[in-house]
Amino acid sequence: MVTIAVTAEPADEPRVAVSPETVKKLVGLGATVKVEAGAGARSRFSDETLRAQGAEIAPTAADALRDADILLKVRRPSAADVAALKPGALVIAMLDPYGDRAALQALAGSKASLFTMEFMPRITRAQSMDVLSSQANLAGYKAVVDAAAMFQQAMPMMMTAAGTVPAARAFIMGAGVAGLQAIATARRLGAQVSATDVRPASKEQVASLGGKFIAVEDEEFKQAQTAAGYAKPMSAEYQAKQAELVANHIKNQDIVITTALIPGRPAPRLITRAMVESMKPGSIIVDLAAERGGNCELTKAGEIVEHNGVRIYGPLNLAGEISVNASSLYAKNLYAFLETLIDKKEKKLAINWDDEIVKGTLVARDGAIVHPSLQGAT
């Protein structure tokens, strides 16, 4: 019998690692699911609802963690939480593997096997486990909804007897999962939408959603995508050409959403102070890369900054603000991963350490950091 613990997240994290639906499925796999009382409350999953699907509600985190084989979290757990688990237990969460190395080392020292969902390989079999996509999709939607609320003008063009209200112009920088959802949402709200990205494949995706594509389409642009589907860092020469094109385009935009992040690196700088100063007063910038330094030079993480009448918002956890949906999707991602680790007949852990998905997400095992992208890094 596998015992799975789920504890409440810190005050700044409204999401939770299970949903009523996944509790039911995990119990169906033969697992005991122990959830700390109140852990699901900020995602509107009451203790009663979780209990009805088969969860055991533990009065405290310590009660949930005691003798557990697996700890499921949204954020990186504390060393004390991991120490309370069975020796050699599994910890599965978004561990922020490139952040606070000393704390990650301390967690690894507990001898738990640490899996980070951000490192899920971009392969067909793992699509249902891709937490970056499930959460970024919601963040892209919420960024546009928040921008529209802050904008204080109408988004669609309206023809009225009193005159015409022009459509807002929205510019989406980065057409990954968050960017594509931002394009779709801005279009639904009636904005005129344009978008840019350095990956050639994104041109067609932007057009298919009704957006206008803006980019310097030279030879370097044609090679600008990694095998994993991420944007490659571009040369200084390309960046200068792209910046000039963007500078001319951005001054006429009402709403700009930036979504450019490269895992493990500071966010690329896309919007300079001069570009912000060229924009009309009342314009809005929402910077989804705020936690990694921001795509805009003036972004302050977690704050709204006003500069020359332009407001720049640097949210830190937009997906968490739609916690009901975010938790439901994240819990499904975790369940899809867990299903590959549990033997359904024997109802016990059966981890294939050579599986591409396991190797891709395993950060630490037997007291040492083992992931190739983290070894030798500080």
Side-chain angles (χ1 to χ4, degrees):
M1 179 73 89
V2 178
T3 301
I4 298 171
V6 178
T7 56
E9 299 292 326
D12 62 349
E13 180 49 79
R15 293 172 290 184
V16 67
V18 286
S19 65
E21 182 186 348
T22 65
V23 165
K24 185 177 182 179
K25 287 180 170 177
L26 289 166
V27 170
L29 289 180
T32 299
V33 183
K34 296 201 299 190
V35 181
E36 179 187 351
R42 288 176 291 166
S43 292
R44 296 193 210 135
F45 305 151
S46 68
D47 292 347
E48 292 70 30
T49 309
L50 293 168
R51 190 185 282 119
Q53 299 303 329
E56 289 180 19
I57 303 301
T60 65
D63 292 312
L65 294 162
R66 194 174 299 119
D67 294 329
D69 300 289
I70 301 173
L71 170 60
L72 300 182
K73 294 286 284 180
V74 177
R75 300 276 182 189
R76 186 189 290 186
S78 69
D81 281 358
V82 176
L85 301 165
K86 261 187 198 165
L90 312 186
V91 175
I92 305 172
M94 291 189 283
L95 293 174
D96 182 21
Y98 295 111
D100 193 351
R101 182 55 185 261
L104 189 64
Q105 202 81 49
L107 278 193
S110 68
K111 302 215 170 142
S113 293
L114 308 180
F115 293 89
T116 193
M117 294 299 286
E118 297 103 316
F119 280 175
M120 189 59 68
R122 291 279 174 101
I123 57 173
T124 307
R125 188 164 61 94
Q127 276 180 334
S128 60
M129 309 169 200
D130 185 351
V131 299
L132 294 180
S133 293
S134 74
Q135 304 303 296
N137 187 44
L138 293 170
Y141 161 79
K142 187 73 164 72
V144 174
V145 171
D146 285 357
M150 291 169 69
F151 182 46
Q152 297 172 333
Q153 289 176 235
M155 292 287 276
M157 182 171 89
M158 299 181 192
M159 314 277 280
T160 77
T164 301
V165 175
R169 293 179 177 191
F171 181 39
I172 317 299
M173 302 186 76
V177 174
L180 292 172
Q181 182 57 253
I183 293 165
T185 304
R187 286 277 299 161
R188 284 187 207 113
L189 289 175
Q192 263 185 32
V193 183
S194 56
T196 188
D197 195 290
V198 298
R199 294 166 306 129
S202 57
K203 182 176 182 178
E204 214 172 288
Q205 294 165 332
V206 168
S208 74
L209 291 169
K212 182 183 177 195
F213 192 68
I214 309 284
V216 175
E217 298 182 45
D218 62 7
E219 280 310 306
E220 186 178 352
F221 172 79
K222 289 170 189 165
Q223 316 297 325
Q225 187 164 329
T226 67
Y230 291 108
K232 276 185 191 168
M234 304 298 278
S235 70
E237 188 191 8
Y238 182 89
Q239 286 177 350
K241 287 193 279 189
Q242 176 76 353
E244 188 185 353
L245 182 69
V246 166
N248 288 327
H249 184 67
I250 211 166
K251 59 189 178 198
N252 298 316
Q253 303 305 307
D254 299 305
I255 288 171
V256 180
I257 314 281
T258 71
T259 71
L261 270 176
I262 298 170
R265 296 170 181 265
R269 186 57 42 85
L270 304 179
I271 302 178
T272 61
R273 172 188 290 263
M275 289 181 194
V276 174
E277 288 169 355
S278 77
M279 293 173 75
K280 300 187 291 262
S283 302
I284 304 294
I285 297 170
V286 180
D287 189 339
L288 292 187
E291 68 192 62
R292 289 256 183 256
N295 295 142
C296 174
E297 190 179 335
L298 302 176
T299 298
K300 285 196 178 153
E303 295 182 31
I304 296 173
V305 175
E306 185 159 332
H307 184 80
N308 274 18
V310 176
R311 279 180 294 162
I312 303 137
Y313 175 35
L316 288 175
N317 183 7
L318 271 189
E321 291 182 26
I322 325 176
S323 57
V324 177
N325 304 119
S327 295
S328 296
L329 295 179
Y330 180 69
K332 280 186 187 170
N333 294 144
L334 289 184
Y335 173 76
F337 181 48
L338 275 172
E339 222 183 353
T340 70
L341 308 179
I342 295 175
D343 183 320
K344 294 183 182 67
K345 271 193 189 147
E346 302 286 324
K347 303 198 184 250
K348 63 179 188 187
L349 279 175
I351 301 164
N352 173 6
W353 297 101
D354 293 320
D355 181 345
E356 190 179 354
I357 291 172
V358 171
K359 272 182 160 166
T361 50
L362 182 66
V363 170
R365 187 181 179 198
D366 298 331
I369 287 182
V370 295
H371 200 280
S373 75
L374 297 173
Q375 284 177 319
T378 51

